[in-house]
């Protein structure tokens, strides 16, 4: 499902959302100024958000919520009428890119350019119908097959020609990103597939002043890696190997059971450790460590994903040790607050005049985007500092360095 988050009206307060629950320190520790982020930053109010979506499956949000089995009936029933009214628009969808899903609520067009124009019209119609001031699009749909960047993605002229020729290198997610940018709508890519992170769309976003970010929501196992790996590196503990396996039975698991879609996800998951540990700088500790990632589709597990990690570390005098993590998580419960945060922060970024890649939103992604030639930052704690310092900067507050020498000056 590709989501439309339009700023007008909304619903209940989400638990776990950084924008709604987290505080941000301002000034010196002795000043005791730590407001909630939502009280410092002029974010859109939750009562001002209206939700919409595209989906190849025609179920309304209530039916989809019940089928997904994520929420219990007691949590769905109070908002049943609200969910029932959210009916998805026909999606741009092609089985060639997501082989395990078969949908009937699908757009038709002679060319991919035609389909992109239909998406643009949907955005305009949705905005008018719901009397929205602004729109944000967050890609929450399935992982597409692995595609490498090619000449079709080099310039916007080549990209548009490829759309007109129905080139296989132009996947559905790219059409959504193109449509969003052309309509001046911030776009966040929550999946690992090649999407808005191409030279053509990067330049288009920059030229049109549109904030973009991605990719692949950082929720379960990779989130744990970005917590544990910085700790190993901080203490200069070596790594011999990190074996990760996932068991999940929802639609995401079914899609990733396809080797081509798994290849896309694998690329996203494998990049994290090398970037954090920097084996080129610490060859004695991290050169040639073994990193294996597996995803297993197991229907009984449903949305309650289980992640197993076996970590073989090396301590002082080369003595081996092990860390084992068994994370019994709920995929959608971890992802939902991320979607909300990205919608609110992307909207704020646009109102603040920010455009192009929003690296300060790396906190939310497995494979964060960064300027061409720049290594993205994967360490969760550095990402959080970058995010909060960006908010301080935009609100005219001093940066927090945590140096603290002023407290001990004679």
């Amino acid at each position: 499902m590709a989501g439309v988050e339009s700023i007008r009206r909304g619903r209940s307060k989400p638990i776990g959302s950084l924008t709604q629950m987290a505080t941000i320190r301002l000034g010196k520790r002795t000043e005791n100024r730590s407001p909630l982020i939502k009280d410092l930053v002029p974010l859109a109010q939750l009562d001002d958000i209206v939700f919409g979506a595209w989906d190849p499956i025609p179920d309304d949000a209530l039916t989809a919520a019940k089928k997904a089995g994520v929420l219990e009936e007691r949590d769905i029933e109070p908002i049943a009428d609200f969910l029932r009214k959210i009916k998805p628009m026909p999606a741009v969808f092609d089985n060639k890119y997501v082989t395990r899903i078969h949908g009937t609520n699908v757009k038709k067009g002679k060319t991919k350019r035609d389909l992109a124009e239909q998406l643009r019209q949907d955005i305009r119609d949705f905005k008018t119908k719901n009397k929205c001031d602004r729109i944000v699009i967050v890609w929450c749909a399935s992982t597409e097959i692995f595609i490498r960047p090619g000449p079709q993605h080099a310039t916007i002229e080549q990209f548009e020609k490829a759309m007109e020729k129905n080139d296989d290198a132009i996947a559905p997610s790219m059409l959504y990103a193109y449509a969003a940018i052309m309509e001046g709508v911030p776009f966040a890519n929550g999946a690992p597939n090649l999407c808005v992170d191409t030279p053509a769309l990067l330049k288009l976003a920059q030229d049109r002043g549109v904030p973009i970010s991605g990719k692949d929501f950082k929720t379960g196992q990779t989130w744990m890696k970005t917590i544990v790996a910085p700790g190993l590196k901080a203490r200069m503990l070596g790594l011999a190997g990190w074996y990760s396996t996932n068991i999940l039975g929802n639609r995401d698991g079914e899609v990733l059971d396809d080797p081509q879609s798994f290849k896309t996800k694998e690329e996203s998951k494998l990049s994290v450790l090398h970037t954090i540990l920097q084996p080129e700088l610490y060859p004695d500790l991290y050169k040639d460590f073994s990193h294996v990632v597996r995803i297993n589709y197991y229907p009984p597990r449903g949305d309650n994903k289980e992640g197993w990690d076996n970590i073989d570390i090396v301590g002082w005098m080369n003595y081996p040790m092990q860390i084992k993590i068994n994370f019994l998580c709920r995929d959608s419960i971890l992802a939902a607050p991320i979607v909300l945060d990205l919608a609110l922060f992307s909207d704020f970024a646009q109102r603040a005049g920010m455009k192009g890649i929003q690296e300060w939103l790396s906190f939310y992604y497995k494979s964060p985007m960064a300027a061409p030639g720049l290594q993205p930052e994967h360490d969760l704690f550095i990402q959080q500092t970058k995010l909060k310092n960006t908010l301080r900067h935009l609100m005219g507050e001093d940066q927090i360095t945590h140096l603290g020498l002023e407290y001990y000056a004679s």
Side-chain angles (χ1 to χ4, degrees):
M1 175 182 286
V4 184
E5 308 244 5
S6 303
I7 309 306
R8 193 172 67 81
R9 59 180 174 80
R11 284 282 166 166
S12 60
K13 181 177 180 178
I15 300 301
S17 168
L18 183 72
T19 59
Q20 302 302 302
M21 300 188 70
T23 61
I24 180 169
R25 189 189 121 197
L26 304 176
K28 297 180 179 180
R29 278 181 277 170
T30 51
E31 295 178 30
N32 294 318
R33 289 197 298 147
S34 295
L36 292 170
I37 287 175
K38 68 183 181 69
D39 292 335
L40 171 73
V41 181
L43 300 174
Q45 298 298 305
L46 297 187
D47 288 340
D48 293 331
I49 300 177
V50 59
F51 297 91
W54 293 274
D55 200 306
I57 297 172
D59 295 341
D60 60 56
L62 177 61
T63 304
K66 289 184 175 182
K67 284 184 178 179
V70 175
L71 301 177
E72 296 179 8
E73 186 67 27
R74 60 183 171 82
D75 294 316
I76 296 176
E77 192 53 40
I79 56 170
D81 291 340
F82 172 75
L83 295 174
R84 190 179 287 111
K85 294 176 183 177
I86 302 176
K87 298 178 180 179
M89 296 172 281
V92 173
F93 178 78
D94 189 334
N95 264 128
K96 184 183 300 180
Y97 300 92
V98 182
T99 63
R100 301 299 171 93
I101 292 180
H102 302 278
T104 57
N105 192 39
V106 178
K107 294 185 185 300
K108 297 185 184 302
K110 289 184 179 180
T111 69
K112 294 182 178 183
R113 181 72 177 267
D114 293 338
L115 295 172
E117 292 302 322
Q118 290 181 47
L119 292 174
R120 293 183 65 183
Q121 188 62 51
D122 285 346
I123 295 170
R124 293 191 289 265
D125 291 345
F126 188 90
K127 186 175 183 180
T128 300
K129 177 183 176 182
N130 293 284
K131 300 178 182 178
C132 299
D133 296 323
R134 306 181 301 279
I135 304 279
V136 174
I137 294 179
V138 183
W139 176 268
C140 304
S142 299
T143 301
E144 295 170 334
I145 61 172
F146 185 70
I147 297 176
R148 293 190 184 278
Q152 304 93 328
H153 311 112
T155 67
I156 195 61
E157 293 77 17
Q158 289 169 290
F159 185 89
E160 290 176 339
K161 286 179 181 177
M163 284 196 294
E164 291 164 1
K165 294 179 180 178
N166 291 327
D167 196 304
D168 286 346
I170 307 300
S173 63
M174 299 177 193
L175 302 183
Y176 284 93
Y178 171 84
I181 297 169
M182 291 296 287
E183 292 300 315
V185 173
F187 183 89
N189 175 26
N193 34 271
L194 187 68
C195 176
V196 73
D197 51 324
T198 63
L201 296 184
L202 291 178
K203 188 174 188 306
L204 186 67
Q206 191 72 25
D207 292 345
R208 289 186 167 257
V210 178
I212 56 174
S213 64
K215 57 187 182 178
D216 202 3
F217 297 144
K218 181 158 59 181
T219 52
Q221 195 170 62
T222 306
W223 171 53
M224 296 302 295
K225 287 181 179 178
T226 62
I227 293 171
V228 175
L232 297 178
K233 182 182 175 185
R235 290 291 295 271
M236 289 286 100
L237 292 168
L239 180 67
W242 195 312
Y243 181 89
S244 300
T245 188
N246 297 266
I247 305 169
L248 72 162
N250 58 11
R251 188 174 294 156
D252 194 28
E254 184 177 9
V255 168
L256 294 174
D257 205 36
D258 171 61
Q260 281 298 307
S261 291
F262 172 70
K263 173 65 174 173
T264 306
K265 175 68 78 170
E266 184 181 37
E267 290 284 320
S268 173
K269 282 177 167 284
L270 287 176
S271 64
V272 173
L273 291 183
H274 283 81
T275 307
I276 292 175
L277 298 175
Q278 298 177 291
E280 68 280 4
L281 295 182
Y282 304 100
D284 292 342
L285 296 175
Y286 305 121
K287 184 181 179 182
D288 299 327
F289 67 85
S290 178
H291 188 196
V292 179
V293 175
R294 297 286 182 265
I295 296 177
N296 303 282
Y297 178 49
Y298 181 57
R301 186 65 73 217
D303 193 71
N304 296 334
K305 181 167 70 173
E306 184 167 359
W308 286 88
D309 287 273
N310 177 81
I311 311 163
D312 288 286
I313 65 175
V314 182
W316 192 46
M317 297 177 65
N318 288 323
Y319 275 80
M321 295 175 280
Q322 286 190 334
I323 301 172
K324 295 185 185 293
I325 301 172
N326 181 208
F327 189 15
L328 299 167
C329 62
R330 295 174 182 262
D331 221 27
S332 298
I333 296 299
L334 290 169
I338 290 178
V339 176
L340 178 68
D341 283 3
L342 286 171
L344 294 176
F345 278 144
S346 297
D347 172 63
F348 172 63
Q350 186 168 51
R351 286 186 286 124
M354 303 175 79
K355 59 185 179 180
I357 296 171
Q358 303 299 301
E359 191 186 352
W360 63 287
L361 297 179
S362 296
F363 178 79
Y364 296 103
Y365 295 109
K366 288 187 182 77
S367 298
M369 295 171 63
L374 186 65
Q375 180 68 55
E377 183 57 67
H378 282 275
D379 183 317
L380 184 75
F381 306 102
I382 294 176
Q383 290 175 335
Q384 185 188 40
T385 298
K386 181 188 292 286
L387 188 153
K388 290 191 173 184
N389 269 338
T390 300
L391 296 178
R392 293 183 184 105
H393 167 72
L394 292 172
M395 299 309 298
E397 295 284 346
D398 292 337
Q399 302 292 288
I400 301 295
T401 66
H402 301 289
L403 183 61
L405 291 180
E406 68 271 23
Y407 302 121
Y408 302 97
S410 59

